[in-house]
Amino acid sequence: MNGSKRASLTLEIVLILAALLFLLPVLYLVVMTFKEPRLFYKPLAMPDRLYLDYYKLALGTSFFRSMFNSLLVTVGGLALTILVASMAGFVLARRREKLFLFFFYLFMSGMVIPTVGSLIPLFKLASLLHLINTRTLLILLYTAGFIPFASFLYSAFTKSIPRELEEAGSIDGCGSLRMFWVIIFPLLLPATGTFILTNVYGIWNDFLTPLIFLNSPDKMTLMPTIVQFMFNKQSTNYGPVFAISVLAMLPLLLLFVLTQKRMLRGLVMGSVKG
Amino acid sequence: MNLKRKQYAAAVLFLIPAAAIFILFFYVPFLQSIYYSFTDWTGVGRPKFTGWTNYAYLWKDPHMTDGLLNSLKMAAFGLVVQNPLALLAAVLLNRQFRTGSFIRTSFYLPVVVSLVVASVVWGQMLQYDGLINAVLGRFGLESVTEDWLGNVRTSFPAIILLTQWQAIGYCAIIYLAGLQAIPQDMYEAAEIEGARGFSLFRRITLPMLMPAVTIVLFLTVVGALKMFDLPYILTNGGPGTSSYTLFLAVYNAAFKDNNYGYATAGGIVLAIFIVIVSIAQLSATRRKEVEL
């Protein structure tokens, strides 16, 4: 008994060390932002006082505008997806006609088809629609990308709602749209929560889409802004770049720590479909 | 009858917004990309049909071939190294520890850090005067120090190691969920039969985990094939073509050289690889579920 206890403690210590190793880059990133320039290129030195100039520099750039843009496309993309996919997922679960089956499989195929090659024709399509360099386009693209997973999620959740509720609604003679938003949608909130907590990271952390479809600094989201900030000069001044990275990462790290359990459940659900 | 038709019309109305957005911004570009891959389209003028020319040229282009090789290397490393490590981590994390939640959070945290921020911090750590070399120097290993990202031999391996920082945690999450779904009484029954330690793992844990294993393998391979952010930010595929990935090669062909037709051909090849892996994963998971 005693031997196994000791073994368990040893294992725990080994795991804590491994965990610290995983945390190290994040801790290093944060610590470095408080180191004054003379210490910055001595990676092992600790900061000897709180040096905040990097943050002043970072905030002096277009940081807040980029943050706002990121927030806008993240909230917009998630909201539009929830709006259209909840309605679609609901009817896909309820109707058995050919048309709905066809769309169910069409959406599901979107989970397998990669969009790598589609980016180029999309660029042309966006030009035709005068959507290049608009945040609206980003919202539409994120929505199109999430529709397969989100409608699948909503249709799976719909099956757990008793049909009697809808019939009760239709007898009262309220329109089907109102019935959906007043009666059904609140019951689908767990699916909405799962969807948001799983996919908020994907949009916030996305680098490729804004890189391709946005070109003016006032529309740019956080991730490409950080990279431009880094590539700006011949030799990168890492201090401010680290500071802006910490600021960009902070909201999501907080969200993750607070909603870890739910997000992990969602991740597993999301990964099952591939 | 009339009510039925009304309800059908209402249902169609519910479907239209999602269907419209999905078809316009997902399906149409996808189908167009198949067509463009057989043309010499450069974004201006009318595309001319050139048959298999683009596809033939892909195999002669070092950016594309090195990109594909590197993507496959990354996938293989994921299968051989990351997978067993993630499984080991999950098995250990599945035990009860007082500090369990701290350990788990630390393992998972890198998963939500963006690839851009990861590139920033690792890029600096891997520099000649960065943390990695400083630590090596501290242990008297100056001979091993290296400009990790500026060297043909080490640039891509460094990027692969960076991906592990995020991937191990991500895969461990899925394995842990799989482990926690295994009914406890199966173990009890096996213990009554006299199974212990490793044979328990081999006879119960591993077979029951098979669905999770196929999912993780799939995520690993697809993630490797889609890798773009890290080589773009850290090395831009260099030195030479040593750290290209296929996706980066496609991106550069399209948005740097304006060879749209050629780039979509690269994109289609990438898509074919991903679809094959997806179908293999789905059928493997199905088969396993039937067995259970």
Side-chain angles (χ1 to χ4, degrees), chain A residues 140-216:
Chain A
L140 287 165
L141 292 182
Y142 292 136
T143 303
F146 284 140
I147 278 173
F149 170 61
S151 26
F152 176 76
L153 193 69
Y154 278 113
S155 101
F157 263 87
T158 300
K159 290 184 174 130
S160 65
I161 298 175
R163 277 173 178 271
E164 290 76 33
L165 282 166
E166 292 146 63
E167 278 141 25
S170 60
I171 289 164
D172 285 346
C174 58
S176 46
L177 266 178
R178 226 188 94 202
M179 182 224 35
F180 177 77
W181 290 112
V182 174
I183 299 172
I184 308 291
F185 187 75
L187 295 171
L188 292 172
L189 276 180
T192 305
T194 300
F195 170 70
I196 292 175
L197 289 184
T198 319
N199 291 300
V200 63
Y201 304 93
I203 304 187
W204 187 268
N205 291 338
D206 182 39
F207 170 64
L208 180 69
T209 323
L211 180 74
I212 293 177
F213 296 101
L214 297 177
N215 48 38
S216 69

Side-chain angles (χ1 to χ4, degrees), chain A residues 215-240:
Chain A
N215 48 38
S216 69
D218 62 313
K219 304 264 173 61
M220 204 47 90
T221 57
L222 272 171
M223 295 306 145
T225 305
I226 295 175
V227 174
Q228 275 162 0
F229 205 47
M230 193 157 100
F231 289 165
N232 226 334
K233 301 178 195 69
Q234 278 308 312
S235 67
T236 305
N237 179 2
Y238 271 105

Side-chain angles (χ1 to χ4, degrees), chain A residues 12 15 22-23 28 43 97 109 112-116 120 124-125 147 176 205 208 211 223 231 260 264 274, chain B residues 8 10 18 24 26-27 36 41 97 99 105 108 112 114 124-125 129 165 173 218 228 233 251 260 270 278:
Chain A
E12 185 167 4
L15 277 177
F22 270 70
L23 266 186
Y28 175 74
E97 290 92 346
S109 73
V112 189
I113 295 172
T115 51
V116 180
I120 300 144
K124 195 184 166 197
L125 178 72
I147 278 173
S176 46
N205 291 338
L208 180 69
L211 180 74
M223 295 306 145
F231 289 165
Q260 206 186 129
L264 297 181
Chain B
Y8 185 79
L24 183 61
F26 189 100
Y27 247 88
Y36 283 130
W41 187 44
F97 292 115
T99 51
T105 306
Y108 299 158
V112 299
S114 76
Q124 202 273 343
M125 280 166 44
D129 52 7
W165 179 57
I173 292 171
F218 163 80
F228 166 80
I233 299 167
Y251 174 89
Y260 291 151
L270 189 52
S278 311

Side-chain angles (χ1 to χ4, degrees), chain B residues 205-256:
Chain B
T205 313
L206 213 48
M208 290 297 285
L209 264 187
M210 258 348 211
V213 172
T214 53
I215 289 161
V216 169
L217 294 185
F218 163 80
L219 288 171
T220 305
V221 176
V222 171
L225 287 167
K226 284 186 172 173
M227 180 49 64
F228 166 80
D229 298 15
L230 298 177
Y232 177 91
I233 299 167
L234 289 170
T235 59
N236 203 1
T241 52
S242 64
S243 64
Y244 260 86
T245 56
L246 187 49
F247 200 156
L248 180 62
V250 168
Y251 174 89
N252 281 346
F255 300 106
K256 279 214 169 66

Side-chain angles (χ1 to χ4, degrees), chain B residues 63-115:
Chain B
H63 301 97
M64 295 281 178
T65 50
D66 283 1
L68 180 61
L69 272 177
N70 275 340
S71 296
L72 293 176
K73 267 184 215 160
M74 192 181 267
F77 189 88
L79 301 185
V80 179
V81 180
Q82 158 194 328
N83 227 316
L85 282 178
L87 183 53
L88 177 69
V91 169
L92 296 178
L93 290 173
N94 201 18
R95 299 169 159 231
Q96 295 303 321
F97 292 115
R98 265 162 314 174
T99 51
S101 65
F102 161 77
I103 296 172
R104 271 192 284 268
T105 306
S106 312
F107 268 107
Y108 299 158
L109 202 61
V111 176
V112 299
V113 174
S114 76
L115 285 170

